């Protein structure tokens, strides 16, 4: 399960994301509207993995982020920024498309070995509530279902103009929307 603390974040996640997106040519322009999020659990329990679906102007964006207690060596070009978490302290936030912990979560999910995390709200060391999912993620398998592309190339687009093609895909559903957000492409494709 993903533990969500009742905490204050400085800056807030939307502020940090918006500031980072302003410097990315692929992000487009316009106001940001967070449509929903989903999470994966790091099996080691060290790294938070949260994925934002948001609309920025005319673009639909898929933003995997990781939260770490310390800087990730040699990944400065993937640093989104830092924030102060009132319970956990300083957090280094990275673009998950360059963080192997997030990429491994997506690969496991595409192979059917990992589901999205259940959300628990904690305060003072105890569970207060279970939070409903904003975005539901499921695996879609095409072809003959033999998993021939298990070792394929991970496709993890940031801009969801076109859906990634692959025999195994992750489908995100929110409201009345549905979009493929990750896929395994055949080796060499």
């Amino acid at each position: 399960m993903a533990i969500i603390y009742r905490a204050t974040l400085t800056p807030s996640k939307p502020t940090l994301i918006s500031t980072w997106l302003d410097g990315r040519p692929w992000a487009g322009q316009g106001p940001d509207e967070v449509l929903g999020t989903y999470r994966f659990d790091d099996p080691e329990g060290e790294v938070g993995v949260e994925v934002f679906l948001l609309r920025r102007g005319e673009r639909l964006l898929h933003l995997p982020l990781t939260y770490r207690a310390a800087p990730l060596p040699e990944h400065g070009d993937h640093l989104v920024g830092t924030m102060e978490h009132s319970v956990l302290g300083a957090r280094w936030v990275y673009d998950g498309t360059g963080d192997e912990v997030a990429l491994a979560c997506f690969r496991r999910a595409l192979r059917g070995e990992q589901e999205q995390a259940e959300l628990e709200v904690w305060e003072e060391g105890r569970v207060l509530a279970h939070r409903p999912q904003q975005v539901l993620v499921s695996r879609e398998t095409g072809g003959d279902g033999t998993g021939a592309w298990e070792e394929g190339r991970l496709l993890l687009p940031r801009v969801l103009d076109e859906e990634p093609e692959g025999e195994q895909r992750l489908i995100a559903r929110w409201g009345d929307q549905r979009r493929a957000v990750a896929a395994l492409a055949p080796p060499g494709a």
Side-chain angles (χ1 to χ4, degrees):
M1 99 289 309
I3 296 174
I4 301 168
Y5 295 96
R6 286 202 164 170
T8 302
L9 301 174
T10 308
S12 68
K13 290 177 188 179
T15 299
L16 185 70
I17 289 168
S18 183
T19 301
W20 182 70
L21 288 176
D22 286 343
R24 306 291 161 246
W26 49 263
Q29 297 180 349
D32 297 334
E33 176 190 3
V34 176
L35 304 172
T37 65
Y38 64 94
R39 294 179 182 236
F40 288 115
D41 284 331
D42 168 18
E44 302 296 321
E46 295 295 320
V47 178
V49 180
E50 183 175 27
V51 185
F52 285 78
L53 288 166
L54 64 92
R55 185 158 305 283
R56 179 172 246 238
E58 298 298 314
R59 296 214 171 152
L60 178 61
L61 303 178
H62 179 246
L63 301 175
L65 299 178
T66 57
Y67 307 111
R68 293 176 167 271
L72 184 60
E74 300 180 24
H75 282 74
D77 54 336
H78 294 286
L79 182 66
V80 172
T82 58
M83 67 171 75
E84 189 65 30
H85 189 289
S86 63
V87 175
L88 301 174
R91 301 278 108 186
W92 281 259
V93 182
Y94 288 90
D95 172 3
T97 65
D99 189 323
E100 189 51 46
V101 171
L103 297 174
C105 288
F106 278 99
R107 285 187 196 100
R108 283 190 300 274
L110 283 159
R111 291 191 306 257
E113 299 168 359
Q114 181 168 3
E115 300 292 328
Q116 77 184 92
E118 295 296 322
L119 307 176
E120 291 184 350
V121 179
W122 284 57
E123 185 174 47
E124 297 178 5
R126 62 185 175 89
V127 177
L128 292 180
H130 293 272
R131 185 178 287 176
Q133 303 287 354
Q134 296 176 308
V135 176
L136 297 175
V137 179
S138 60
R139 181 173 175 248
E140 182 180 88
T141 302
D144 62 9
T146 61
W149 295 352
E150 266 186 23
E151 300 306 319
R153 187 170 48 94
L154 175 63
L155 302 176
L156 190 60
R158 290 183 177 119
V159 180
L160 297 178
D161 291 341
E162 295 181 17
E163 294 190 344
E165 292 297 322
E167 197 169 297
Q168 295 155 343
R169 302 186 317 161
L170 287 184
I171 306 298
R173 291 176 178 82
W174 68 100
D176 62 353
Q177 302 291 308
R178 174 191 187 281
R179 194 62 64 105
V181 294
L184 283 178

